[in-house]
Amino acid sequence: RMALVEHEVELPPLDSPVEMILPIKAVSELIRILASDGEMKIINQKNQAVFDFGTTRLCTKLVDGKYPNFRQVIPGGYTERVDIEREKLLGAIRVVSLVADAVIRLTFSANQLPISTASTDVGEARDVIPIKYAGKEITLSFNPAFLIDPLKVISDDDIYFELEDGSRPALIKCSVPFLYLLMPLRG
């Protein structure tokens, strides 16, 4: 997958900084476990981490190596910001992706966002949602699953895209410290 998600959480002060790379299955399980409030104890051992949450304990091996500097792949200098109602965008993407789930095209234009797809086997689908935007027209193609993933978990009513052109990655942000890097498809 070509997606990056960043989400900040508050942690108590540590005696010394700790870096760990967790397997994706462990992260998925932690997200499920942490659906409710409460305190969690994290124990860092040589090649594994232990997470104690109430009566639940999750042990996982750590991924060897050093985590890459992901900030280097997050482009800066975006010139366009597009405000969008999250539920409207999510609904339109879901409907359009029923026709072809491989590629959908978003065309950011003056106060509207046409979302379209085409399949030689099934046909075409198109929906248009209102947006707050007055900049240059920008067309980007994405795998719809990569668009749906962040929109399902963000709880804000409004999100915004930061864009430059049709070939550079887009950023999805909202009012909480959340960043989603979205790589456009070529062609």
Side-chain angles (χ1 to χ4, degrees):
R1 286 188 152 192
M2 295 297 293
L4 169 73
V5 178
E6 177 185 76
H7 186 78
E8 295 180 9
V9 294
E10 288 187 34
L11 294 172
L14 300 171
D15 295 335
S16 61
V18 176
E19 290 187 17
M20 294 183 273
I21 302 176
L22 303 174
I24 190 68
K25 285 186 176 185
V27 173
S28 297
E29 191 62 22
L30 281 171
I31 290 169
R32 189 187 66 74
I33 291 170
L34 299 176
S36 58
D37 291 337
E39 289 188 22
M40 180 174 59
K41 184 177 180 182
I42 303 170
I43 303 163
N44 182 25
Q45 298 175 341
K46 186 174 181 176
N47 293 325
Q48 70 176 1
V50 178
F51 299 88
D52 284 333
F53 182 74
T55 59
T56 303
R57 173 174 272 193
L58 174 70
C59 300
T60 183
K61 287 185 177 182
L62 298 176
V63 176
D64 289 334
K66 183 129 177 90
Y67 199 76
N69 183 356
F70 64 91
R71 298 240 180 248
Q72 290 178 332
V73 300
I74 300 173
Y78 285 103
T79 57
E80 307 296 339
R81 176 182 158 141
V82 184
D83 296 326
I84 303 174
E85 289 182 49
R86 183 185 60 82
E87 281 294 329
K88 283 185 181 178
L89 178 60
L90 180 58
I93 292 168
R94 283 181 169 154
V95 168
V96 170
S97 66
L98 290 174
V99 171
D101 62 359
V103 178
I104 62 170
R105 175 169 288 163
L106 281 68
T107 302
F108 297 88
S109 57
N111 296 320
Q112 65 177 4
L113 176 61
I115 302 166
S116 61
T117 191
S119 168
T120 55
D121 298 336
V122 181
E124 298 179 6
R126 187 172 192 269
D127 198 354
V128 179
I129 62 169
I131 59 174
K132 297 174 186 172
Y133 182 61
K136 65 184 177 186
E137 186 172 291
I138 299 173
T139 299
L140 295 157
S141 296
F142 297 111
N143 177 323
F146 295 158
L147 278 166
I148 290 171
D149 283 349
L151 298 177
K152 288 188 310 188
V153 298
I154 295 172
S155 59
D156 283 13
D157 293 335
D158 297 306
I159 58 144
Y160 60 94
F161 276 73
E162 288 185 356
L163 310 163
E164 183 63 31
D165 58 39
S167 63
R168 291 185 61 202
L171 295 178
I172 297 176
K173 295 183 175 181
C174 59
S175 66
V176 298
F178 178 91
L179 170 87
Y180 191 86
L181 179 70
L182 194 56
M183 302 298 288
L185 298 172
R186 306 272 182 220

